Amino acid sequence: MSTYIKILCGVCLFCLCLPLSAQTDTLNIKKEVEIPAIPDTIPEKQFIGRFNRGITNHLFVKRKTWMTGLTVSYVGYDSEDTQFLSLLKDFDCDAKLLTINPFVGYFIKNNICIGIKVGYQNVHANLGNISIDIDDDLDFSLKNMSFDEHLLSTTVFYRSYVGLDRGKRFGLFNETSLSFNNGSSNYKRGSEENFKDTQTRIREVHVGLNPGATVFIMENISAELSFGVVGFKYREEKQTTNGESSGWRKSSGANFKINLLNISIGIVAYL
């Protein structure tokens, strides 16, 4: 009888231990499934008086990432390709604006980058002839005028990105830049005994605000488009005409509109 009692007690103990073991395994499996994923959004700090516009800033570029790229801007005009008002006669003019800016940057935080860029800008305009005829008492003409400017620049910039999707493909950015420009311009007009050649040495400091959009076209390569909106500029010029000093001037100003001459297209690689 005692043997049967012992067997019965063993079976009971086995049945009691089996559910506990199964429950423990279930808890372990549940714990592994509920491990939280790495967040793909960047929390925004709330300041006094700041509105919450409900924009979700997805992670676009991770911190400790290097980027290098090149932006190019070109604007050209040729009077042969356009038609002006009938007031202009014998209009012969061409102009171009070319800007090239290679740059390198480093992401100090997620979606936040600082960097440096160097640049070259060339402005060229040539007026062969223009005649304006309003009435018999008001008509005049200009001809043989040309302008050529070359500027070299060094710029430090700060960029803040906003990722628009979880796939890290589309984003917006805002770039604040401080530029130091140095160069010269050459303004020629007239001919023969009336010919004048004015050389100008230029030094300039420029603070700009350049928003833009970027999209990844490959795994580590993106294309971007940016344009200038706000600019503060201080400029110094020293001029000589036909080899003799003709004066100097200092100027400063601010621009609070979209600059159609400062639209840049670029390619960026992330390393």
Side-chain angles (χ1 to χ4, degrees):
M1 188 67 163
S2 60
T3 302
Y4 290 107
I5 293 174
K6 291 179 179 180
I7 294 174
L8 182 60
C9 291
V11 173
C12 293
L13 290 174
F14 177 77
C15 293
L16 290 173
C17 293
L18 181 60
L20 292 175
S21 177
Q23 184 179 4
T24 303
D25 294 340
T26 303
L27 291 175
N28 290 335
I29 294 174
K30 184 178 181 181
K31 183 177 179 181
E32 293 176 359
V33 172
E34 291 185 354
I35 294 176
I38 299 175
D40 67 338
T41 59
I42 299 176
E44 298 288 343
K45 295 182 180 179
Q46 191 75 19
F47 296 98
I48 297 176
R50 181 178 176 183
F51 293 99
N52 182 5
R53 305 191 184 279
I55 299 176
T56 301
N57 186 6
H58 293 280
L59 176 62
F60 193 67
V61 181
K62 296 180 180 180
R63 63 186 297 264
K64 296 184 178 180
T65 299
W66 286 91
M67 76 172 183
T68 181
L70 175 70
T71 60
V72 177
S73 175
Y74 178 80
V75 179
Y77 169 79
D78 193 334
S79 60
E80 294 182 357
D81 300 330
T82 59
Q83 294 181 354
F84 265 80
L85 299 175
S86 59
L87 296 176
L88 302 182
K89 298 181 179 180
D90 301 326
F91 185 54
D92 179 18
C93 177
D94 64 90
K96 68 176 182 179
L97 170 62
L98 173 65
T99 303
I100 302 175
N101 291 299
F103 63 89
V104 62
Y106 180 74
F107 284 82
I108 57 175
K109 294 183 179 180
N110 292 338
N111 290 8
I112 295 179
C113 172
I114 59 174
I116 185 170
K117 66 176 69 174
V118 294
Y120 168 75
Q121 177 178 289
N122 174 237
V123 180
H124 173 78
N126 182 38
L127 179 62
N129 184 73
I130 179 174
S131 298
I132 299 179
D133 187 5
I134 298 178
D135 55 35
D136 295 337
D137 298 326
L138 184 58
D139 63 284
F140 64 92
S141 63
L142 298 173
K143 61 181 179 179
N144 299 328
M145 299 175 64
S146 65
F147 177 81
D148 202 25
E149 180 181 274
H150 301 270
L151 287 178
L152 296 176
S153 64
T154 302
T155 304
V156 292
F157 65 87
Y158 171 91
R159 276 192 183 187
S160 176
Y161 286 82
V162 175
L164 298 180
D165 65 326
R166 293 181 180 273
K168 304 178 180 66
R169 181 173 295 274
F170 299 94
L172 303 175
F173 66 85
N174 183 44
E175 178 182 294
T176 303
S177 62
L178 174 62
S179 302
F180 301 90
N181 306 326
N182 188 28
S184 63
S185 66
N186 186 10
Y187 175 44
K188 298 178 181 179
R189 67 272 191 199
S191 60
E192 298 179 354
E193 67 275 2
N194 295 323
F195 177 76
K196 291 184 179 181
D197 184 1
T198 300
Q199 302 282 341
T200 305
R201 296 294 303 175
I202 302 170
R203 291 190 301 174
E204 185 178 87
V205 178
H206 184 268
V207 179
L209 187 64
N210 308 296
T214 181
V215 57
F216 275 90
I217 56 178
M218 297 178 65
E219 184 67 24
N220 295 316
I221 298 178
S222 70
E224 66 178 39
L225 173 69
S226 63
F227 50 91
V229 175
V230 178
F232 301 90
K233 181 173 64 176
Y234 173 79
R235 184 179 178 113
E236 292 183 354
E237 298 179 353
K238 293 183 179 181
Q239 293 183 341
T240 58
T241 301
N242 295 340
E244 299 181 358
S245 178
S246 58
W248 61 274
R249 72 171 183 171
K250 297 180 180 180
S251 62
S252 60
N255 181 17
F256 294 92
K257 62 181 180 180
I258 296 177
N259 187 358
L260 297 179
L261 299 180
N262 189 19
I263 298 177
S264 299
I265 299 175
I267 295 292
V268 184
Y270 298 84
L271 309 174

PDB file of all heavy atoms in Angstrom, residues 227-262:
ATOM      1  N   PHE A 227      18.340  76.855 -52.310  1.00  0.00           N
ATOM      2  CA  PHE A 227      18.255  78.223 -52.824  1.00  0.00           C
ATOM      3  C   PHE A 227      18.420  79.198 -51.667  1.00  0.00           C
ATOM      4  O   PHE A 227      18.109  78.895 -50.511  1.00  0.00           O
ATOM      5  CB  PHE A 227      16.932  78.469 -53.549  1.00  0.00           C
ATOM      6  CG  PHE A 227      15.716  78.058 -52.773  1.00  0.00           C
ATOM      7  CD1 PHE A 227      15.082  78.960 -51.937  1.00  0.00           C
ATOM      8  CD2 PHE A 227      15.219  76.782 -52.867  1.00  0.00           C
ATOM      9  CE1 PHE A 227      13.958  78.589 -51.221  1.00  0.00           C
ATOM     10  CE2 PHE A 227      14.097  76.397 -52.157  1.00  0.00           C
ATOM     11  CZ  PHE A 227      13.473  77.309 -51.318  1.00  0.00           C
ATOM     12  N   GLY A 228      18.932  80.375 -51.979  1.00  0.00           N
ATOM     13  CA  GLY A 228      19.149  81.404 -50.969  1.00  0.00           C
ATOM     14  C   GLY A 228      17.879  82.174 -50.660  1.00  0.00           C
ATOM     15  O   GLY A 228      17.124  82.537 -51.562  1.00  0.00           O
ATOM     16  N   VAL A 229      17.642  82.428 -49.373  1.00  0.00           N
ATOM     17  CA  VAL A 229      16.453  83.174 -48.937  1.00  0.00           C
ATOM     18  C   VAL A 229      16.852  84.452 -48.220  1.00  0.00           C
ATOM     19  O   VAL A 229      16.345  85.532 -48.504  1.00  0.00           O
ATOM     20  CB  VAL A 229      15.572  82.303 -48.025  1.00  0.00           C
ATOM     21  CG1 VAL A 229      14.415  83.123 -47.467  1.00  0.00           C
ATOM     22  CG2 VAL A 229      15.032  81.114 -48.787  1.00  0.00           C
ATOM     23  N   VAL A 230      17.752  84.345 -47.264  1.00  0.00           N
ATOM     24  CA  VAL A 230      18.159  85.499 -46.453  1.00  0.00           C
ATOM     25  C   VAL A 230      19.660  85.672 -46.565  1.00  0.00           C
ATOM     26  O   VAL A 230      20.411  84.691 -46.552  1.00  0.00           O
ATOM     27  CB  VAL A 230      17.759  85.305 -44.978  1.00  0.00           C
ATOM     28  CG1 VAL A 230      18.227  86.481 -44.143  1.00  0.00           C
ATOM     29  CG2 VAL A 230      16.249  85.138 -44.856  1.00  0.00           C
ATOM     30  N   GLY A 231      20.102  86.911 -46.697  1.00  0.00           N
ATOM     31  CA  GLY A 231      21.527  87.176 -46.762  1.00  0.00           C
ATOM     32  C   GLY A 231      21.880  88.524 -46.164  1.00  0.00           C
ATOM     33  O   GLY A 231      21.178  89.516 -46.370  1.00  0.00           O
ATOM     34  N   PHE A 232      22.982  88.537 -45.387  1.00  0.00           N
ATOM     35  CA  PHE A 232      23.554  89.772 -44.854  1.00  0.00           C
ATOM     36  C   PHE A 232      24.965  89.888 -45.432  1.00  0.00           C
ATOM     37  O   PHE A 232      25.754  88.941 -45.336  1.00  0.00           O
ATOM     38  CB  PHE A 232      23.608  89.760 -43.336  1.00  0.00           C
ATOM     39  CG  PHE A 232      22.267  89.589 -42.677  1.00  0.00           C
ATOM     40  CD1 PHE A 232      21.780  88.330 -42.383  1.00  0.00           C
ATOM     41  CD2 PHE A 232      21.488  90.697 -42.365  1.00  0.00           C
ATOM     42  CE1 PHE A 232      20.543  88.161 -41.782  1.00  0.00           C
ATOM     43  CE2 PHE A 232      20.251  90.542 -41.775  1.00  0.00           C
ATOM     44  CZ  PHE A 232      19.787  89.278 -41.479  1.00  0.00           C
ATOM     45  N   LYS A 233      25.285  91.050 -46.006  1.00  0.00           N
ATOM     46  CA  LYS A 233      26.534  91.179 -46.739  1.00  0.00           C
ATOM     47  C   LYS A 233      27.252  92.476 -46.378  1.00  0.00           C
ATOM     48  O   LYS A 233      26.646  93.538 -46.258  1.00  0.00           O
ATOM     49  CB  LYS A 233      26.261  91.139 -48.245  1.00  0.00           C
ATOM     50  CG  LYS A 233      27.490  91.240 -49.124  1.00  0.00           C
ATOM     51  CD  LYS A 233      27.138  91.010 -50.585  1.00  0.00           C
ATOM     52  CE  LYS A 233      26.217  92.087 -51.128  1.00  0.00           C
ATOM     53  NZ  LYS A 233      25.948  91.932 -52.569  1.00  0.00           N
ATOM     54  N   TYR A 234      28.580  92.350 -46.215  1.00  0.00           N
ATOM     55  CA  TYR A 234      29.449  93.517 -46.056  1.00  0.00           C
ATOM     56  C   TYR A 234      30.538  93.412 -47.116  1.00  0.00           C
ATOM     57  O   TYR A 234      31.192  92.376 -47.266  1.00  0.00           O
ATOM     58  CB  TYR A 234      30.071  93.559 -44.668  1.00  0.00           C
ATOM     59  CG  TYR A 234      31.096  94.660 -44.510  1.00  0.00           C
ATOM     60  CD1 TYR A 234      30.695  95.980 -44.301  1.00  0.00           C
ATOM     61  CD2 TYR A 234      32.453  94.378 -44.586  1.00  0.00           C
ATOM     62  CE1 TYR A 234      31.631  96.993 -44.173  1.00  0.00           C
ATOM     63  CE2 TYR A 234      33.392  95.383 -44.453  1.00  0.00           C
ATOM     64  CZ  TYR A 234      32.979  96.687 -44.253  1.00  0.00           C
ATOM     65  OH  TYR A 234      33.916  97.688 -44.127  1.00  0.00           O
ATOM     66  N   ARG A 235      30.767  94.506 -47.877  1.00  0.00           N
ATOM     67  CA  ARG A 235      31.654  94.450 -49.044  1.00  0.00           C
ATOM     68  C   ARG A 235      32.556  95.678 -49.095  1.00  0.00           C
ATOM     69  O   ARG A 235      32.108  96.801 -48.837  1.00  0.00           O
ATOM     70  CB  ARG A 235      30.802  94.356 -50.314  1.00  0.00           C
ATOM     71  CG  ARG A 235      31.560  94.204 -51.626  1.00  0.00           C
ATOM     72  CD  ARG A 235      30.566  94.112 -52.763  1.00  0.00           C
ATOM     73  NE  ARG A 235      31.177  94.020 -54.072  1.00  0.00           N
ATOM     74  CZ  ARG A 235      31.121  92.946 -54.851  1.00  0.00           C
ATOM     75  NH1 ARG A 235      30.480  91.866 -54.438  1.00  0.00           N
ATOM     76  NH2 ARG A 235      31.673  92.949 -56.047  1.00  0.00           N
ATOM     77  N   GLU A 236      33.823  95.450 -49.422  1.00  0.00           N
ATOM     78  CA  GLU A 236      34.800  96.515 -49.620  1.00  0.00           C
ATOM     79  C   GLU A 236      35.354  96.426 -51.034  1.00  0.00           C
ATOM     80  O   GLU A 236      35.673  95.330 -51.505  1.00  0.00           O
ATOM     81  CB  GLU A 236      35.950  96.408 -48.619  1.00  0.00           C
ATOM     82  CG  GLU A 236      35.568  96.694 -47.178  1.00  0.00           C
ATOM     83  CD  GLU A 236      36.757  96.635 -46.240  1.00  0.00           C
ATOM     84  OE1 GLU A 236      37.864  96.251 -46.717  1.00  0.00           O
ATOM     85  OE2 GLU A 236      36.604  96.961 -45.059  1.00  0.00           O
ATOM     86  N   GLU A 237      35.474  97.593 -51.709  1.00  0.00           N
ATOM     87  CA  GLU A 237      35.967  97.633 -53.078  1.00  0.00           C
ATOM     88  C   GLU A 237      36.997  98.743 -53.230  1.00  0.00           C
ATOM     89  O   GLU A 237      36.820  99.848 -52.703  1.00  0.00           O
ATOM     90  CB  GLU A 237      34.820  97.874 -54.063  1.00  0.00           C
ATOM     91  CG  GLU A 237      33.760  96.787 -54.065  1.00  0.00           C
ATOM     92  CD  GLU A 237      32.638  97.087 -55.041  1.00  0.00           C
ATOM     93  OE1 GLU A 237      32.636  98.215 -55.600  1.00  0.00           O
ATOM     94  OE2 GLU A 237      31.773  96.233 -55.249  1.00  0.00           O
ATOM     95  N   LYS A 238      38.074  98.443 -53.957  1.00  0.00           N
ATOM     96  CA  LYS A 238      39.081  99.444 -54.319  1.00  0.00           C
ATOM     97  C   LYS A 238      39.257  99.403 -55.826  1.00  0.00           C
ATOM     98  O   LYS A 238      39.493  98.342 -56.405  1.00  0.00           O
ATOM     99  CB  LYS A 238      40.407  99.156 -53.616  1.00  0.00           C
ATOM    100  CG  LYS A 238      40.352  99.343 -52.107  1.00  0.00           C
ATOM    101  CD  LYS A 238      41.722  99.122 -51.472  1.00  0.00           C
ATOM    102  CE  LYS A 238      41.656  99.339 -49.969  1.00  0.00           C
ATOM    103  NZ  LYS A 238      42.982  99.147 -49.316  1.00  0.00           N
ATOM    104  N   GLN A 239      39.144 100.580 -56.483  1.00  0.00           N
ATOM    105  CA  GLN A 239      39.127 100.633 -57.934  1.00  0.00           C
ATOM    106  C   GLN A 239      40.304 101.410 -58.493  1.00  0.00           C
ATOM    107  O   GLN A 239      40.787 102.379 -57.892  1.00  0.00           O
ATOM    108  CB  GLN A 239      37.832 101.287 -58.423  1.00  0.00           C
ATOM    109  CG  GLN A 239      36.581 100.472 -58.145  1.00  0.00           C
ATOM    110  CD  GLN A 239      35.334 101.128 -58.707  1.00  0.00           C
ATOM    111  OE1 GLN A 239      35.316 102.325 -58.994  1.00  0.00           O
ATOM    112  NE2 GLN A 239      34.273 100.338 -58.886  1.00  0.00           N
ATOM    113  N   THR A 240      40.737 100.940 -59.664  1.00  0.00           N
ATOM    114  CA  THR A 240      41.707 101.677 -60.471  1.00  0.00           C
ATOM    115  C   THR A 240      41.178 101.725 -61.900  1.00  0.00           C
ATOM    116  O   THR A 240      40.649 100.731 -62.410  1.00  0.00           O
ATOM    117  CB  THR A 240      43.091 100.998 -60.457  1.00  0.00           C
ATOM    118  OG1 THR A 240      42.972  99.657 -60.951  1.00  0.00           O
ATOM    119  CG2 THR A 240      43.673 100.961 -59.050  1.00  0.00           C
ATOM    120  N   THR A 241      41.302 102.884 -62.566  1.00  0.00           N
ATOM    121  CA  THR A 241      40.835 103.064 -63.936  1.00  0.00           C
ATOM    122  C   THR A 241      42.013 103.441 -64.814  1.00  0.00           C
ATOM    123  O   THR A 241      42.715 104.429 -64.534  1.00  0.00           O
ATOM    124  CB  THR A 241      39.755 104.161 -64.015  1.00  0.00           C
ATOM    125  OG1 THR A 241      38.655 103.791 -63.166  1.00  0.00           O
ATOM    126  CG2 THR A 241      39.261 104.330 -65.437  1.00  0.00           C
ATOM    127  N   ASN A 242      42.247 102.629 -65.832  1.00  0.00           N
ATOM    128  CA  ASN A 242      43.400 102.805 -66.728  1.00  0.00           C
ATOM    129  C   ASN A 242      44.702 102.910 -65.949  1.00  0.00           C
ATOM    130  O   ASN A 242      45.577 103.732 -66.251  1.00  0.00           O
ATOM    131  CB  ASN A 242      43.202 104.036 -67.617  1.00  0.00           C
ATOM    132  CG  ASN A 242      42.046 103.879 -68.574  1.00  0.00           C
ATOM    133  OD1 ASN A 242      41.604 102.777 -68.866  1.00  0.00           O
ATOM    134  ND2 ASN A 242      41.535 105.015 -69.066  1.00  0.00           N
ATOM    135  N   GLY A 243      44.820 102.100 -64.896  1.00  0.00           N
ATOM    136  CA  GLY A 243      46.055 102.032 -64.125  1.00  0.00           C
ATOM    137  C   GLY A 243      46.177 103.056 -63.020  1.00  0.00           C
ATOM    138  O   GLY A 243      47.156 103.035 -62.279  1.00  0.00           O
ATOM    139  N   GLU A 244      45.229 103.968 -62.872  1.00  0.00           N
ATOM    140  CA  GLU A 244      45.284 104.998 -61.833  1.00  0.00           C
ATOM    141  C   GLU A 244      44.161 104.780 -60.827  1.00  0.00           C
ATOM    142  O   GLU A 244      43.042 104.411 -61.190  1.00  0.00           O
ATOM    143  CB  GLU A 244      45.165 106.389 -62.456  1.00  0.00           C
ATOM    144  CG  GLU A 244      46.287 106.730 -63.428  1.00  0.00           C
ATOM    145  CD  GLU A 244      46.140 108.139 -63.996  1.00  0.00           C
ATOM    146  OE1 GLU A 244      45.133 108.806 -63.633  1.00  0.00           O
ATOM    147  OE2 GLU A 244      47.004 108.547 -64.786  1.00  0.00           O
ATOM    148  N   SER A 245      44.469 105.053 -59.554  1.00  0.00           N
ATOM    149  CA  SER A 245      43.478 104.875 -58.498  1.00  0.00           C
ATOM    150  C   SER A 245      42.292 105.813 -58.720  1.00  0.00           C
ATOM    151  O   SER A 245      42.459 107.010 -58.938  1.00  0.00           O
ATOM    152  CB  SER A 245      44.115 105.145 -57.130  1.00  0.00           C
ATOM    153  OG  SER A 245      43.155 105.030 -56.109  1.00  0.00           O
ATOM    154  N   SER A 246      41.091 105.236 -58.658  1.00  0.00           N
ATOM    155  CA  SER A 246      39.893 106.037 -58.918  1.00  0.00           C
ATOM    156  C   SER A 246      38.929 106.074 -57.739  1.00  0.00           C
ATOM    157  O   SER A 246      37.901 106.741 -57.804  1.00  0.00           O
ATOM    158  CB  SER A 246      39.153 105.509 -60.157  1.00  0.00           C
ATOM    159  OG  SER A 246      38.803 104.148 -59.990  1.00  0.00           O
ATOM    160  N   GLY A 247      39.232 105.349 -56.647  1.00  0.00           N
ATOM    161  CA  GLY A 247      38.380 105.448 -55.472  1.00  0.00           C
ATOM    162  C   GLY A 247      38.160 104.109 -54.788  1.00  0.00           C
ATOM    163  O   GLY A 247      38.652 103.064 -55.228  1.00  0.00           O
ATOM    164  N   TRP A 248      37.418 104.166 -53.720  1.00  0.00           N
ATOM    165  CA  TRP A 248      37.061 102.965 -52.976  1.00  0.00           C
ATOM    166  C   TRP A 248      35.702 103.186 -52.317  1.00  0.00           C
ATOM    167  O   TRP A 248      35.233 104.307 -52.184  1.00  0.00           O
ATOM    168  CB  TRP A 248      38.113 102.633 -51.911  1.00  0.00           C
ATOM    169  CG  TRP A 248      38.264 103.726 -50.870  1.00  0.00           C
ATOM    170  CD1 TRP A 248      39.046 104.837 -50.940  1.00  0.00           C
ATOM    171  CD2 TRP A 248      37.577 103.803 -49.620  1.00  0.00           C
ATOM    172  NE1 TRP A 248      38.905 105.617 -49.824  1.00  0.00           N
ATOM    173  CE2 TRP A 248      38.010 104.997 -48.988  1.00  0.00           C
ATOM    174  CE3 TRP A 248      36.654 102.993 -48.976  1.00  0.00           C
ATOM    175  CZ2 TRP A 248      37.523 105.385 -47.742  1.00  0.00           C
ATOM    176  CZ3 TRP A 248      36.183 103.380 -47.725  1.00  0.00           C
ATOM    177  CH2 TRP A 248      36.630 104.565 -47.133  1.00  0.00           C
ATOM    178  N   ARG A 249      35.077 102.106 -51.920  1.00  0.00           N
ATOM    179  CA  ARG A 249      33.789 102.229 -51.247  1.00  0.00           C
ATOM    180  C   ARG A 249      33.532 101.007 -50.361  1.00  0.00           C
ATOM    181  O   ARG A 249      34.089  99.932 -50.583  1.00  0.00           O
ATOM    182  CB  ARG A 249      32.649 102.380 -52.246  1.00  0.00           C
ATOM    183  CG  ARG A 249      32.315 101.131 -53.021  1.00  0.00           C
ATOM    184  CD  ARG A 249      31.044 101.311 -53.826  1.00  0.00           C
ATOM    185  NE  ARG A 249      30.664 100.102 -54.535  1.00  0.00           N
ATOM    186  CZ  ARG A 249      29.515  99.943 -55.175  1.00  0.00           C
ATOM    187  NH1 ARG A 249      28.639 100.948 -55.221  1.00  0.00           N
ATOM    188  NH2 ARG A 249      29.233  98.812 -55.796  1.00  0.00           N
ATOM    189  N   LYS A 250      32.679 101.200 -49.372  1.00  0.00           N
ATOM    190  CA  LYS A 250      32.223 100.136 -48.485  1.00  0.00           C
ATOM    191  C   LYS A 250      30.697 100.105 -48.544  1.00  0.00           C
ATOM    192  O   LYS A 250      30.053 101.156 -48.534  1.00  0.00           O
ATOM    193  CB  LYS A 250      32.687 100.370 -47.048  1.00  0.00           C
ATOM    194  CG  LYS A 250      34.197 100.353 -46.873  1.00  0.00           C
ATOM    195  CD  LYS A 250      34.578 100.598 -45.412  1.00  0.00           C
ATOM    196  CE  LYS A 250      36.087 100.590 -45.236  1.00  0.00           C
ATOM    197  NZ  LYS A 250      36.474 100.833 -43.817  1.00  0.00           N
ATOM    198  N   SER A 251      30.148  98.913 -48.585  1.00  0.00           N
ATOM    199  CA  SER A 251      28.694  98.770 -48.652  1.00  0.00           C
ATOM    200  C   SER A 251      28.257  97.578 -47.813  1.00  0.00           C
ATOM    201  O   SER A 251      29.006  96.630 -47.600  1.00  0.00           O
ATOM    202  CB  SER A 251      28.235  98.594 -50.101  1.00  0.00           C
ATOM    203  OG  SER A 251      28.788  97.423 -50.662  1.00  0.00           O
ATOM    204  N   SER A 252      27.027  97.654 -47.348  1.00  0.00           N
ATOM    205  CA  SER A 252      26.440  96.550 -46.578  1.00  0.00           C
ATOM    206  C   SER A 252      24.940  96.530 -46.842  1.00  0.00           C
ATOM    207  O   SER A 252      24.347  97.547 -47.232  1.00  0.00           O
ATOM    208  CB  SER A 252      26.717  96.714 -45.084  1.00  0.00           C
ATOM    209  OG  SER A 252      26.153  97.927 -44.599  1.00  0.00           O
ATOM    210  N   GLY A 253      24.335  95.372 -46.617  1.00  0.00           N
ATOM    211  CA  GLY A 253      22.901  95.274 -46.866  1.00  0.00           C
ATOM    212  C   GLY A 253      22.376  93.917 -46.482  1.00  0.00           C
ATOM    213  O   GLY A 253      23.124  92.997 -46.129  1.00  0.00           O
ATOM    214  N   ALA A 254      21.067  93.790 -46.547  1.00  0.00           N
ATOM    215  CA  ALA A 254      20.382  92.550 -46.204  1.00  0.00           C
ATOM    216  C   ALA A 254      19.363  92.231 -47.290  1.00  0.00           C
ATOM    217  O   ALA A 254      18.775  93.136 -47.888  1.00  0.00           O
ATOM    218  CB  ALA A 254      19.699  92.663 -44.843  1.00  0.00           C
ATOM    219  N   ASN A 255      19.164  90.956 -47.519  1.00  0.00           N
ATOM    220  CA  ASN A 255      18.232  90.498 -48.537  1.00  0.00           C
ATOM    221  C   ASN A 255      17.288  89.479 -47.909  1.00  0.00           C
ATOM    222  O   ASN A 255      17.730  88.469 -47.357  1.00  0.00           O
ATOM    223  CB  ASN A 255      18.992  89.869 -49.703  1.00  0.00           C
ATOM    224  CG  ASN A 255      18.072  89.403 -50.811  1.00  0.00           C
ATOM    225  OD1 ASN A 255      16.914  89.816 -50.882  1.00  0.00           O
ATOM    226  ND2 ASN A 255      18.582  88.544 -51.668  1.00  0.00           N
ATOM    227  N   PHE A 256      15.973  89.720 -47.972  1.00  0.00           N
ATOM    228  CA  PHE A 256      14.982  88.850 -47.350  1.00  0.00           C
ATOM    229  C   PHE A 256      14.013  88.294 -48.386  1.00  0.00           C
ATOM    230  O   PHE A 256      12.816  88.269 -48.177  1.00  0.00           O
ATOM    231  CB  PHE A 256      14.210  89.609 -46.264  1.00  0.00           C
ATOM    232  CG  PHE A 256      15.043  90.002 -45.091  1.00  0.00           C
ATOM    233  CD1 PHE A 256      15.672  91.244 -45.065  1.00  0.00           C
ATOM    234  CD2 PHE A 256      15.212  89.144 -44.025  1.00  0.00           C
ATOM    235  CE1 PHE A 256      16.446  91.615 -43.980  1.00  0.00           C
ATOM    236  CE2 PHE A 256      15.985  89.506 -42.933  1.00  0.00           C
ATOM    237  CZ  PHE A 256      16.600  90.748 -42.911  1.00  0.00           C
ATOM    238  N   LYS A 257      14.529  87.832 -49.508  1.00  0.00           N
ATOM    239  CA  LYS A 257      13.687  87.243 -50.536  1.00  0.00           C
ATOM    240  C   LYS A 257      14.433  86.095 -51.204  1.00  0.00           C
ATOM    241  O   LYS A 257      15.656  85.951 -51.048  1.00  0.00           O
ATOM    242  CB  LYS A 257      13.292  88.289 -51.587  1.00  0.00           C
ATOM    243  CG  LYS A 257      14.469  88.887 -52.335  1.00  0.00           C
ATOM    244  CD  LYS A 257      13.999  89.935 -53.332  1.00  0.00           C
ATOM    245  CE  LYS A 257      15.177  90.541 -54.087  1.00  0.00           C
ATOM    246  NZ  LYS A 257      14.740  91.572 -55.055  1.00  0.00           N
ATOM    247  N   ILE A 258      13.697  85.278 -51.926  1.00  0.00           N
ATOM    248  CA  ILE A 258      14.309  84.162 -52.631  1.00  0.00           C
ATOM    249  C   ILE A 258      15.205  84.700 -53.743  1.00  0.00           C
ATOM    250  O   ILE A 258      14.774  85.494 -54.568  1.00  0.00           O
ATOM    251  CB  ILE A 258      13.241  83.226 -53.209  1.00  0.00           C
ATOM    252  CG1 ILE A 258      12.436  82.581 -52.086  1.00  0.00           C
ATOM    253  CG2 ILE A 258      13.883  82.148 -54.077  1.00  0.00           C
ATOM    254  CD1 ILE A 258      11.314  81.692 -52.573  1.00  0.00           C
ATOM    255  N   ASN A 259      16.456  84.278 -53.729  1.00  0.00           N
ATOM    256  CA  ASN A 259      17.417  84.724 -54.722  1.00  0.00           C
ATOM    257  C   ASN A 259      17.444  83.725 -55.885  1.00  0.00           C
ATOM    258  O   ASN A 259      17.986  82.625 -55.760  1.00  0.00           O
ATOM    259  CB  ASN A 259      18.802  84.840 -54.090  1.00  0.00           C
ATOM    260  CG  ASN A 259      19.824  85.458 -55.040  1.00  0.00           C
ATOM    261  OD1 ASN A 259      19.507  85.771 -56.189  1.00  0.00           O
ATOM    262  ND2 ASN A 259      21.041  85.625 -54.558  1.00  0.00           N
ATOM    263  N   LEU A 260      16.836  84.100 -57.012  1.00  0.00           N
ATOM    264  CA  LEU A 260      16.762  83.201 -58.158  1.00  0.00           C
ATOM    265  C   LEU A 260      18.130  82.960 -58.789  1.00  0.00           C
ATOM    266  O   LEU A 260      18.291  82.013 -59.572  1.00  0.00           O
ATOM    267  CB  LEU A 260      15.807  83.773 -59.208  1.00  0.00           C
ATOM    268  CG  LEU A 260      14.343  83.914 -58.767  1.00  0.00           C
ATOM    269  CD1 LEU A 260      13.518  84.519 -59.895  1.00  0.00           C
ATOM    270  CD2 LEU A 260      13.770  82.571 -58.333  1.00  0.00           C
ATOM    271  N   LEU A 261      19.122  83.806 -58.465  1.00  0.00           N
ATOM    272  CA  LEU A 261      20.471  83.615 -58.978  1.00  0.00           C
ATOM    273  C   LEU A 261      21.306  82.740 -58.059  1.00  0.00           C
ATOM    274  O   LEU A 261      22.493  82.529 -58.312  1.00  0.00           O
ATOM    275  CB  LEU A 261      21.154  84.974 -59.175  1.00  0.00           C
ATOM    276  CG  LEU A 261      20.487  85.928 -60.172  1.00  0.00           C
ATOM    277  CD1 LEU A 261      21.269  87.227 -60.263  1.00  0.00           C
ATOM    278  CD2 LEU A 261      20.363  85.281 -61.547  1.00  0.00           C
ATOM    279  N   ASN A 262      20.710  82.253 -56.972  1.00  0.00           N
ATOM    280  CA  ASN A 262      21.433  81.419 -56.014  1.00  0.00           C
ATOM    281  C   ASN A 262      20.710  80.086 -55.812  1.00  0.00           C
ATOM    282  O   ASN A 262      20.459  79.660 -54.695  1.00  0.00           O
ATOM    283  CB  ASN A 262      21.583  82.164 -54.682  1.00  0.00           C
ATOM    284  CG  ASN A 262      22.512  81.443 -53.728  1.00  0.00           C
ATOM    285  OD1 ASN A 262      23.307  80.597 -54.137  1.00  0.00           O
ATOM    286  ND2 ASN A 262      22.405  81.767 -52.452  1.00  0.00           N
TER     287      ASN A 262
END
